[in-house]
Amino acid sequence: LRSDLWLTSENGPRYVQLRRRLQEGIDTGVLAPNSSLPSERELVEITELSRVTVRKAIQELVQEGVIEQRQGSGSFIRERVQRVEQSLKHLTSFTEDMSSRGMETTSKWLERGVFAPTPEEVTALNLSDGEQISRIYRLREADGRPLALERAALPLDILPNPIEVTTSLYEVLDGLGRRPVRAVQKISALNLAAREAELLEVPEGAAGLNIERISFLKNGRVAEMTRSLYRGDAYDFVAELRL
Ligand code: 16G
């Protein structure tokens, strides 16, 4: 890490160079997951950079979720999640997506019941004044690791009793003969707010994907509007394009 060995030959601010050096150490396994990072003071001594520079490099790595600061015991290299490659071709459920990868789905329930819709749900689901919806809000985990927060709204004639959903929503809809056959999905980027970040076990402000799915039955009736927040460090969405 000695800065006289690298500082002069590289471009960019010093904290960026240091961050790059630390990232390289992590990528090559010199700094292993769960091991502790040298303290700020030690890094200042080794690199002979200023405390401000060292702190800034560390802050950025914390922000990116590469390292984690634990109260009173310093900074640690976070274990990296295995990224999930998700095709944007088929209308599948979370449970199906995970089981096709040999992973088991579990959910932590945040809300499940009949509630008033949000204004955007009223529009998306073509609801009439005062009409309520079945709400399903859960933290979705694969092999025990949190990957997404999903808040679904369904018209009551599509899903009259949300309590019936104990594992897979699409399985329940299938049983009712109302499995969606088509969906429109919109994906945008966002920084996760404190509460969502905590549930997804990433630092506040970490990158997330905001995915909105509106799905339809065979007869064209809208079946579901689901807003999902996916961990940005866990997903690659893949679409095949043809001329
Ligand atoms: C997927 C869908 C979500 C659907 C859920 C059903 C996305 C972005 N969203 O997560 O709209 O409600 O699957 O999953 O893919 P389940 O049948 O496992 O409950």
Short mmCIF file of all heavy atoms in Angstrom, two decimals, residues 102-161:
data_model
loop_
_atom_site.label_atom_id
_atom_site.label_comp_id
_atom_site.label_asym_id
_atom_site.label_seq_id
_atom_site.Cartn_x
_atom_site.Cartn_y
_atom_site.Cartn_z
N GLY A 102 -31.91 -23.41 -8.05
CA GLY A 102 -31.66 -24.30 -6.91
C GLY A 102 -31.66 -23.58 -5.58
O GLY A 102 -31.11 -24.06 -4.59
N MET A 103 -32.27 -22.39 -5.54
CA MET A 103 -32.32 -21.64 -4.28
C MET A 103 -33.72 -21.69 -3.68
O MET A 103 -34.72 -21.77 -4.40
CB MET A 103 -31.90 -20.19 -4.50
CG MET A 103 -30.45 -20.04 -4.89
SD MET A 103 -29.88 -18.35 -4.64
CE MET A 103 -29.94 -17.75 -6.29
N GLU A 104 -33.77 -21.60 -2.40
CA GLU A 104 -35.05 -21.66 -1.72
C GLU A 104 -35.54 -20.26 -1.36
O GLU A 104 -34.77 -19.44 -0.85
CB GLU A 104 -34.91 -22.50 -0.45
CG GLU A 104 -36.22 -23.15 -0.06
CD GLU A 104 -36.17 -23.66 1.36
OE1 GLU A 104 -35.08 -24.15 1.77
OE2 GLU A 104 -37.18 -23.54 2.05
N THR A 105 -36.81 -20.00 -1.62
CA THR A 105 -37.39 -18.69 -1.34
C THR A 105 -38.06 -18.67 0.03
O THR A 105 -38.82 -19.56 0.36
CB THR A 105 -38.47 -18.36 -2.39
OG1 THR A 105 -37.88 -18.39 -3.67
CG2 THR A 105 -39.07 -16.99 -2.15
N THR A 106 -37.75 -17.64 0.78
CA THR A 106 -38.52 -17.39 2.00
C THR A 106 -38.95 -15.92 1.97
O THR A 106 -38.39 -15.12 1.23
CB THR A 106 -37.68 -17.64 3.28
OG1 THR A 106 -36.39 -17.05 3.12
CG2 THR A 106 -37.54 -19.12 3.56
N SER A 107 -39.96 -15.60 2.76
CA SER A 107 -40.45 -14.22 2.80
C SER A 107 -40.64 -13.77 4.24
O SER A 107 -41.05 -14.56 5.08
CB SER A 107 -41.80 -14.11 2.10
OG SER A 107 -41.66 -14.33 0.73
N LYS A 108 -40.32 -12.51 4.48
CA LYS A 108 -40.70 -11.89 5.75
C LYS A 108 -41.88 -11.00 5.43
O LYS A 108 -41.79 -10.15 4.56
CB LYS A 108 -39.55 -11.07 6.32
CG LYS A 108 -38.45 -11.90 6.89
CD LYS A 108 -37.73 -11.19 8.05
CE LYS A 108 -36.70 -12.11 8.67
NZ LYS A 108 -35.45 -12.15 7.85
N TRP A 109 -42.97 -11.21 6.14
CA TRP A 109 -44.19 -10.45 5.84
C TRP A 109 -44.17 -9.09 6.50
O TRP A 109 -43.93 -8.97 7.69
CB TRP A 109 -45.41 -11.25 6.27
CG TRP A 109 -45.61 -12.41 5.37
CD1 TRP A 109 -45.08 -13.67 5.51
CD2 TRP A 109 -46.32 -12.40 4.14
NE1 TRP A 109 -45.42 -14.44 4.43
CE2 TRP A 109 -46.19 -13.70 3.58
CE3 TRP A 109 -47.05 -11.44 3.45
CZ2 TRP A 109 -46.78 -14.04 2.36
CZ3 TRP A 109 -47.65 -11.79 2.25
CH2 TRP A 109 -47.50 -13.08 1.72
N LEU A 110 -44.44 -8.07 5.71
CA LEU A 110 -44.49 -6.72 6.26
C LEU A 110 -45.94 -6.23 6.30
O LEU A 110 -46.32 -5.48 7.20
CB LEU A 110 -43.61 -5.78 5.42
CG LEU A 110 -42.14 -6.24 5.33
CD1 LEU A 110 -41.38 -5.49 4.26
CD2 LEU A 110 -41.43 -6.08 6.68
N GLU A 111 -46.74 -6.67 5.33
CA GLU A 111 -48.16 -6.34 5.28
C GLU A 111 -48.88 -7.40 4.47
O GLU A 111 -48.36 -7.86 3.46
CB GLU A 111 -48.37 -5.00 4.56
CG GLU A 111 -48.70 -3.84 5.47
CD GLU A 111 -48.81 -2.53 4.69
OE1 GLU A 111 -48.56 -2.51 3.47
OE2 GLU A 111 -49.15 -1.54 5.30
N ARG A 112 -50.08 -7.79 4.92
CA ARG A 112 -50.89 -8.71 4.12
C ARG A 112 -52.33 -8.52 4.57
O ARG A 112 -52.67 -8.77 5.71
CB ARG A 112 -50.44 -10.15 4.36
CG ARG A 112 -51.25 -11.18 3.59
CD ARG A 112 -50.65 -12.56 3.70
NE ARG A 112 -50.03 -12.82 4.99
CZ ARG A 112 -49.46 -13.97 5.34
NH1 ARG A 112 -49.42 -14.97 4.49
NH2 ARG A 112 -48.92 -14.13 6.52
N GLY A 113 -53.16 -8.03 3.67
CA GLY A 113 -54.55 -7.78 4.05
C GLY A 113 -55.26 -6.97 3.00
O GLY A 113 -54.73 -6.75 1.90
N VAL A 114 -56.46 -6.52 3.34
CA VAL A 114 -57.24 -5.70 2.42
C VAL A 114 -57.13 -4.25 2.87
O VAL A 114 -57.45 -3.93 4.01
CB VAL A 114 -58.71 -6.18 2.38
CG1 VAL A 114 -59.57 -5.24 1.54
CG2 VAL A 114 -58.78 -7.60 1.82
N PHE A 115 -56.61 -3.41 1.97
CA PHE A 115 -56.33 -2.01 2.33
C PHE A 115 -56.77 -1.06 1.23
O PHE A 115 -57.14 -1.50 0.14
CB PHE A 115 -54.83 -1.81 2.56
CG PHE A 115 -54.27 -2.59 3.72
CD1 PHE A 115 -53.55 -3.76 3.49
CD2 PHE A 115 -54.46 -2.15 5.03
CE1 PHE A 115 -53.03 -4.48 4.56
CE2 PHE A 115 -53.93 -2.87 6.09
CZ PHE A 115 -53.21 -4.04 5.86
N ALA A 116 -56.64 0.22 1.52
CA ALA A 116 -56.87 1.25 0.49
C ALA A 116 -55.67 1.31 -0.43
O ALA A 116 -54.53 1.18 0.03
CB ALA A 116 -57.10 2.60 1.16
N PRO A 117 -55.88 1.49 -1.74
CA PRO A 117 -54.76 1.57 -2.68
C PRO A 117 -54.09 2.94 -2.65
O PRO A 117 -54.67 3.91 -2.17
CB PRO A 117 -55.44 1.35 -4.03
CG PRO A 117 -56.83 1.86 -3.83
CD PRO A 117 -57.19 1.61 -2.39
N THR A 118 -52.88 3.02 -3.18
CA THR A 118 -52.23 4.32 -3.37
C THR A 118 -52.80 4.93 -4.66
O THR A 118 -53.36 4.19 -5.49
CB THR A 118 -50.70 4.14 -3.56
OG1 THR A 118 -50.46 3.41 -4.77
CG2 THR A 118 -50.06 3.41 -2.39
N PRO A 119 -52.65 6.23 -4.85
CA PRO A 119 -53.17 6.86 -6.07
C PRO A 119 -52.63 6.20 -7.35
O PRO A 119 -53.38 6.02 -8.31
CB PRO A 119 -52.69 8.31 -5.95
CG PRO A 119 -52.52 8.54 -4.49
CD PRO A 119 -52.10 7.22 -3.92
N GLU A 120 -51.35 5.84 -7.37
CA GLU A 120 -50.81 5.22 -8.59
C GLU A 120 -51.42 3.83 -8.83
O GLU A 120 -51.58 3.41 -9.98
CB GLU A 120 -49.28 5.19 -8.60
CG GLU A 120 -48.66 4.35 -7.52
CD GLU A 120 -47.14 4.21 -7.69
OE1 GLU A 120 -46.59 4.70 -8.70
OE2 GLU A 120 -46.52 3.62 -6.79
N GLU A 121 -51.77 3.14 -7.75
CA GLU A 121 -52.41 1.82 -7.90
C GLU A 121 -53.84 1.98 -8.44
O GLU A 121 -54.30 1.17 -9.24
CB GLU A 121 -52.42 1.07 -6.56
CG GLU A 121 -51.03 0.56 -6.18
CD GLU A 121 -50.89 0.16 -4.71
OE1 GLU A 121 -51.83 0.41 -3.91
OE2 GLU A 121 -49.82 -0.36 -4.35
N VAL A 122 -54.52 3.04 -7.99
CA VAL A 122 -55.88 3.31 -8.48
C VAL A 122 -55.84 3.44 -10.00
O VAL A 122 -56.63 2.83 -10.72
CB VAL A 122 -56.45 4.61 -7.85
CG1 VAL A 122 -57.77 5.00 -8.51
CG2 VAL A 122 -56.63 4.43 -6.35
N THR A 123 -54.88 4.19 -10.50
CA THR A 123 -54.75 4.40 -11.94
C THR A 123 -54.36 3.10 -12.66
O THR A 123 -55.00 2.70 -13.62
CB THR A 123 -53.66 5.47 -12.22
OG1 THR A 123 -53.91 6.58 -11.36
CG2 THR A 123 -53.68 5.92 -13.66
N ALA A 124 -53.30 2.46 -12.15
CA ALA A 124 -52.78 1.27 -12.83
C ALA A 124 -53.81 0.14 -12.87
O ALA A 124 -53.89 -0.60 -13.85
CB ALA A 124 -51.51 0.79 -12.14
N LEU A 125 -54.58 0.00 -11.80
CA LEU A 125 -55.52 -1.12 -11.71
C LEU A 125 -56.94 -0.74 -12.16
O LEU A 125 -57.86 -1.54 -12.04
CB LEU A 125 -55.56 -1.68 -10.28
CG LEU A 125 -54.25 -2.21 -9.70
CD1 LEU A 125 -54.43 -2.63 -8.25
CD2 LEU A 125 -53.72 -3.40 -10.50
N ASN A 126 -57.11 0.48 -12.62
CA ASN A 126 -58.44 0.96 -13.05
C ASN A 126 -59.49 0.81 -11.96
O ASN A 126 -60.59 0.30 -12.22
CB ASN A 126 -58.94 0.16 -14.27
CG ASN A 126 -58.24 0.58 -15.53
OD1 ASN A 126 -57.98 1.78 -15.72
ND2 ASN A 126 -57.90 -0.39 -16.37
N LEU A 127 -59.17 1.22 -10.76
CA LEU A 127 -60.10 1.02 -9.65
C LEU A 127 -61.13 2.14 -9.61
O LEU A 127 -60.87 3.26 -10.03
CB LEU A 127 -59.32 0.99 -8.32
CG LEU A 127 -58.23 -0.09 -8.21
CD1 LEU A 127 -57.42 0.10 -6.94
CD2 LEU A 127 -58.86 -1.49 -8.24
N SER A 128 -62.30 1.81 -9.08
CA SER A 128 -63.29 2.86 -8.91
C SER A 128 -63.15 3.48 -7.52
O SER A 128 -62.47 2.94 -6.65
CB SER A 128 -64.70 2.31 -9.14
OG SER A 128 -64.84 1.07 -8.51
N ASP A 129 -63.81 4.60 -7.32
CA ASP A 129 -63.72 5.37 -6.07
C ASP A 129 -63.96 4.50 -4.84
O ASP A 129 -64.97 3.81 -4.77
CB ASP A 129 -64.76 6.50 -6.10
CG ASP A 129 -64.08 7.84 -6.31
OD1 ASP A 129 -62.86 7.83 -6.57
OD2 ASP A 129 -64.78 8.87 -6.21
N GLY A 130 -63.06 4.52 -3.89
CA GLY A 130 -63.26 3.81 -2.63
C GLY A 130 -63.01 2.31 -2.71
O GLY A 130 -63.08 1.62 -1.69
N GLU A 131 -62.69 1.81 -3.88
CA GLU A 131 -62.44 0.37 -4.03
C GLU A 131 -61.14 -0.03 -3.32
O GLU A 131 -60.13 0.64 -3.47
CB GLU A 131 -62.37 0.03 -5.54
CG GLU A 131 -62.49 -1.45 -5.82
CD GLU A 131 -62.44 -1.76 -7.32
OE1 GLU A 131 -62.79 -0.88 -8.15
OE2 GLU A 131 -62.04 -2.89 -7.65
N GLN A 132 -61.18 -1.13 -2.57
CA GLN A 132 -59.99 -1.56 -1.86
C GLN A 132 -59.24 -2.64 -2.64
O GLN A 132 -59.76 -3.16 -3.63
CB GLN A 132 -60.38 -2.09 -0.48
CG GLN A 132 -60.90 -0.98 0.44
CD GLN A 132 -61.05 -1.49 1.86
OE1 GLN A 132 -61.72 -2.48 2.09
NE2 GLN A 132 -60.42 -0.81 2.80
N ILE A 133 -58.04 -2.94 -2.19
CA ILE A 133 -57.21 -3.93 -2.88
C ILE A 133 -56.62 -4.94 -1.89
O ILE A 133 -56.58 -4.67 -0.69
CB ILE A 133 -56.03 -3.26 -3.63
CG1 ILE A 133 -55.32 -2.21 -2.74
CG2 ILE A 133 -56.49 -2.61 -4.93
CD1 ILE A 133 -54.08 -2.60 -2.13
N SER A 134 -56.18 -6.06 -2.40
CA SER A 134 -55.40 -7.00 -1.59
C SER A 134 -53.95 -6.54 -1.63
O SER A 134 -53.39 -6.36 -2.71
CB SER A 134 -55.49 -8.42 -2.16
OG SER A 134 -56.66 -9.04 -1.75
N ARG A 135 -53.41 -6.34 -0.47
CA ARG A 135 -52.03 -5.86 -0.37
C ARG A 135 -51.12 -6.96 0.16
O ARG A 135 -51.44 -7.61 1.16
CB ARG A 135 -51.98 -4.66 0.58
CG ARG A 135 -50.63 -4.35 1.18
CD ARG A 135 -49.75 -3.46 0.35
NE ARG A 135 -50.35 -2.16 0.13
CZ ARG A 135 -50.50 -1.61 -1.08
NH1 ARG A 135 -50.08 -2.27 -2.15
NH2 ARG A 135 -51.06 -0.42 -1.21
N ILE A 136 -50.01 -7.15 -0.55
CA ILE A 136 -49.01 -8.11 -0.10
C ILE A 136 -47.67 -7.41 -0.13
O ILE A 136 -47.19 -7.01 -1.18
CB ILE A 136 -49.00 -9.33 -1.06
CG1 ILE A 136 -50.25 -10.17 -0.81
CG2 ILE A 136 -47.76 -10.18 -0.87
CD1 ILE A 136 -50.40 -11.29 -1.80
N TYR A 137 -47.08 -7.24 1.04
CA TYR A 137 -45.79 -6.53 1.12
C TYR A 137 -44.81 -7.43 1.86
O TYR A 137 -45.04 -7.80 3.00
CB TYR A 137 -45.99 -5.20 1.85
CG TYR A 137 -44.75 -4.32 1.94
CD1 TYR A 137 -43.75 -4.39 0.98
CD2 TYR A 137 -44.61 -3.40 2.97
CE1 TYR A 137 -42.63 -3.58 1.06
CE2 TYR A 137 -43.50 -2.57 3.06
CZ TYR A 137 -42.51 -2.67 2.10
OH TYR A 137 -41.41 -1.86 2.18
N ARG A 138 -43.77 -7.84 1.17
CA ARG A 138 -42.83 -8.76 1.81
C ARG A 138 -41.38 -8.54 1.40
O ARG A 138 -41.10 -8.00 0.33
CB ARG A 138 -43.22 -10.22 1.54
CG ARG A 138 -43.67 -10.40 0.15
CD ARG A 138 -44.41 -11.70 -0.07
NE ARG A 138 -44.80 -11.61 -1.47
CZ ARG A 138 -44.95 -12.60 -2.30
NH1 ARG A 138 -44.83 -13.83 -1.89
NH2 ARG A 138 -45.25 -12.39 -3.55
N LEU A 139 -40.52 -8.97 2.30
CA LEU A 139 -39.08 -9.00 2.02
C LEU A 139 -38.81 -10.39 1.48
O LEU A 139 -39.17 -11.39 2.10
CB LEU A 139 -38.30 -8.78 3.32
CG LEU A 139 -36.78 -8.90 3.20
CD1 LEU A 139 -36.20 -7.73 2.42
CD2 LEU A 139 -36.13 -8.94 4.58
N ARG A 140 -38.23 -10.46 0.30
CA ARG A 140 -38.03 -11.75 -0.34
C ARG A 140 -36.58 -12.19 -0.22
O ARG A 140 -35.65 -11.45 -0.55
CB ARG A 140 -38.45 -11.66 -1.80
CG ARG A 140 -39.75 -10.88 -1.93
CD ARG A 140 -40.70 -11.48 -2.85
NE ARG A 140 -41.02 -12.85 -2.53
CZ ARG A 140 -41.74 -13.62 -3.33
NH1 ARG A 140 -42.17 -13.16 -4.47
NH2 ARG A 140 -42.02 -14.86 -2.98
N GLU A 141 -36.41 -13.41 0.24
CA GLU A 141 -35.06 -13.91 0.48
C GLU A 141 -34.79 -15.17 -0.35
O GLU A 141 -35.70 -15.96 -0.58
CB GLU A 141 -34.89 -14.27 1.96
CG GLU A 141 -35.14 -13.10 2.89
CD GLU A 141 -35.53 -13.54 4.29
OE1 GLU A 141 -36.26 -14.54 4.41
OE2 GLU A 141 -35.11 -12.90 5.25
N ALA A 142 -33.56 -15.32 -0.78
CA ALA A 142 -33.13 -16.53 -1.47
C ALA A 142 -32.04 -17.16 -0.63
O ALA A 142 -31.05 -16.50 -0.33
CB ALA A 142 -32.61 -16.20 -2.86
N ASP A 143 -32.25 -18.41 -0.25
CA ASP A 143 -31.34 -19.10 0.67
C ASP A 143 -31.01 -18.21 1.88
O ASP A 143 -29.87 -18.12 2.31
CB ASP A 143 -30.06 -19.52 -0.05
CG ASP A 143 -30.29 -20.74 -0.94
OD1 ASP A 143 -31.37 -21.36 -0.83
OD2 ASP A 143 -29.40 -21.08 -1.74
N GLY A 144 -32.03 -17.56 2.40
CA GLY A 144 -31.90 -16.78 3.62
C GLY A 144 -31.33 -15.38 3.43
O GLY A 144 -31.26 -14.61 4.38
N ARG A 145 -30.92 -15.04 2.19
CA ARG A 145 -30.36 -13.70 1.97
C ARG A 145 -31.38 -12.77 1.34
O ARG A 145 -32.01 -13.11 0.35
CB ARG A 145 -29.12 -13.79 1.07
CG ARG A 145 -27.87 -14.04 1.89
CD ARG A 145 -26.67 -13.49 1.17
NE ARG A 145 -26.61 -14.05 -0.17
CZ ARG A 145 -25.63 -14.81 -0.62
NH1 ARG A 145 -24.62 -15.09 0.16
NH2 ARG A 145 -25.64 -15.28 -1.84
N PRO A 146 -31.58 -11.57 1.91
CA PRO A 146 -32.58 -10.66 1.37
C PRO A 146 -32.17 -10.11 0.01
O PRO A 146 -31.05 -9.63 -0.16
CB PRO A 146 -32.63 -9.53 2.41
CG PRO A 146 -31.32 -9.57 3.10
CD PRO A 146 -30.85 -11.00 3.06
N LEU A 147 -33.08 -10.20 -0.98
CA LEU A 147 -32.77 -9.72 -2.32
C LEU A 147 -33.69 -8.59 -2.76
O LEU A 147 -33.29 -7.72 -3.51
CB LEU A 147 -32.92 -10.87 -3.34
CG LEU A 147 -31.84 -11.93 -3.39
CD1 LEU A 147 -32.14 -12.90 -4.51
CD2 LEU A 147 -30.47 -11.30 -3.62
N ALA A 148 -34.95 -8.63 -2.31
CA ALA A 148 -35.90 -7.65 -2.82
C ALA A 148 -37.01 -7.38 -1.82
O ALA A 148 -37.35 -8.22 -0.98
CB ALA A 148 -36.51 -8.17 -4.12
N LEU A 149 -37.56 -6.17 -1.94
CA LEU A 149 -38.77 -5.81 -1.19
C LEU A 149 -39.87 -5.69 -2.22
O LEU A 149 -39.70 -4.97 -3.21
CB LEU A 149 -38.56 -4.45 -0.52
CG LEU A 149 -37.89 -4.45 0.83
CD1 LEU A 149 -37.45 -3.02 1.18
CD2 LEU A 149 -38.83 -4.96 1.91
N GLU A 150 -40.98 -6.39 -2.02
CA GLU A 150 -42.05 -6.35 -3.02
C GLU A 150 -43.39 -5.98 -2.40
O GLU A 150 -43.85 -6.60 -1.46
CB GLU A 150 -42.17 -7.71 -3.71
CG GLU A 150 -41.01 -7.98 -4.63
CD GLU A 150 -41.30 -9.08 -5.63
OE1 GLU A 150 -41.94 -10.07 -5.25
OE2 GLU A 150 -40.87 -8.95 -6.78
N ARG A 151 -43.98 -4.94 -2.98
CA ARG A 151 -45.27 -4.47 -2.51
C ARG A 151 -46.28 -4.62 -3.65
O ARG A 151 -46.23 -3.89 -4.63
CB ARG A 151 -45.17 -3.00 -2.08
CG ARG A 151 -46.36 -2.50 -1.29
CD ARG A 151 -46.36 -0.99 -1.27
NE ARG A 151 -45.23 -0.41 -0.55
CZ ARG A 151 -45.27 -0.07 0.73
NH1 ARG A 151 -46.38 -0.22 1.42
NH2 ARG A 151 -44.23 0.47 1.30
N ALA A 152 -47.15 -5.62 -3.52
CA ALA A 152 -48.10 -5.92 -4.59
C ALA A 152 -49.49 -5.43 -4.22
O ALA A 152 -49.89 -5.47 -3.06
CB ALA A 152 -48.12 -7.42 -4.85
N ALA A 153 -50.22 -4.98 -5.24
CA ALA A 153 -51.63 -4.63 -5.06
C ALA A 153 -52.42 -5.37 -6.13
O ALA A 153 -52.05 -5.36 -7.30
CB ALA A 153 -51.81 -3.12 -5.21
N LEU A 154 -53.50 -6.04 -5.69
CA LEU A 154 -54.34 -6.78 -6.64
C LEU A 154 -55.80 -6.45 -6.38
O LEU A 154 -56.22 -6.36 -5.21
CB LEU A 154 -54.13 -8.29 -6.48
CG LEU A 154 -52.72 -8.81 -6.77
CD1 LEU A 154 -51.93 -8.94 -5.49
CD2 LEU A 154 -52.78 -10.15 -7.48
N PRO A 155 -56.60 -6.28 -7.45
CA PRO A 155 -58.03 -6.04 -7.25
C PRO A 155 -58.64 -7.22 -6.48
O PRO A 155 -58.19 -8.35 -6.64
CB PRO A 155 -58.58 -5.97 -8.69
CG PRO A 155 -57.40 -5.66 -9.55
CD PRO A 155 -56.22 -6.28 -8.88
N LEU A 156 -59.68 -6.93 -5.70
CA LEU A 156 -60.26 -7.98 -4.85
C LEU A 156 -60.90 -9.11 -5.64
O LEU A 156 -60.95 -10.24 -5.17
CB LEU A 156 -61.29 -7.37 -3.88
CG LEU A 156 -60.67 -6.48 -2.77
CD1 LEU A 156 -61.76 -5.93 -1.87
CD2 LEU A 156 -59.64 -7.25 -1.96
N ASP A 157 -61.38 -8.82 -6.86
CA ASP A 157 -61.96 -9.92 -7.63
C ASP A 157 -60.89 -10.82 -8.24
O ASP A 157 -61.17 -11.92 -8.69
CB ASP A 157 -62.92 -9.40 -8.72
CG ASP A 157 -62.23 -8.45 -9.68
OD1 ASP A 157 -61.40 -7.64 -9.22
OD2 ASP A 157 -62.50 -8.54 -10.88
N ILE A 158 -59.64 -10.36 -8.25
CA ILE A 158 -58.52 -11.20 -8.70
C ILE A 158 -58.01 -12.03 -7.52
O ILE A 158 -57.81 -13.23 -7.63
CB ILE A 158 -57.36 -10.33 -9.26
CG1 ILE A 158 -57.82 -9.45 -10.43
CG2 ILE A 158 -56.15 -11.20 -9.62
CD1 ILE A 158 -57.95 -10.15 -11.76
N LEU A 159 -57.80 -11.37 -6.40
CA LEU A 159 -57.35 -12.07 -5.19
C LEU A 159 -58.21 -11.60 -4.01
O LEU A 159 -57.90 -10.60 -3.36
CB LEU A 159 -55.87 -11.78 -4.92
CG LEU A 159 -55.29 -12.44 -3.67
CD1 LEU A 159 -55.16 -13.95 -3.84
CD2 LEU A 159 -53.91 -11.86 -3.33
N PRO A 160 -59.31 -12.32 -3.71
CA PRO A 160 -60.22 -11.87 -2.66
C PRO A 160 -59.60 -11.99 -1.26
O PRO A 160 -59.92 -11.18 -0.38
CB PRO A 160 -61.43 -12.80 -2.78
CG PRO A 160 -61.23 -13.56 -4.05
CD PRO A 160 -59.79 -13.54 -4.37
N ASN A 161 -58.74 -12.99 -1.08
CA ASN A 161 -58.25 -13.26 0.26
C ASN A 161 -56.72 -13.36 0.32
O ASN A 161 -56.15 -14.44 0.17
CB ASN A 161 -58.90 -14.58 0.73
CG ASN A 161 -58.58 -14.87 2.18
OD1 ASN A 161 -58.01 -14.02 2.89
ND2 ASN A 161 -58.94 -16.06 2.63
#
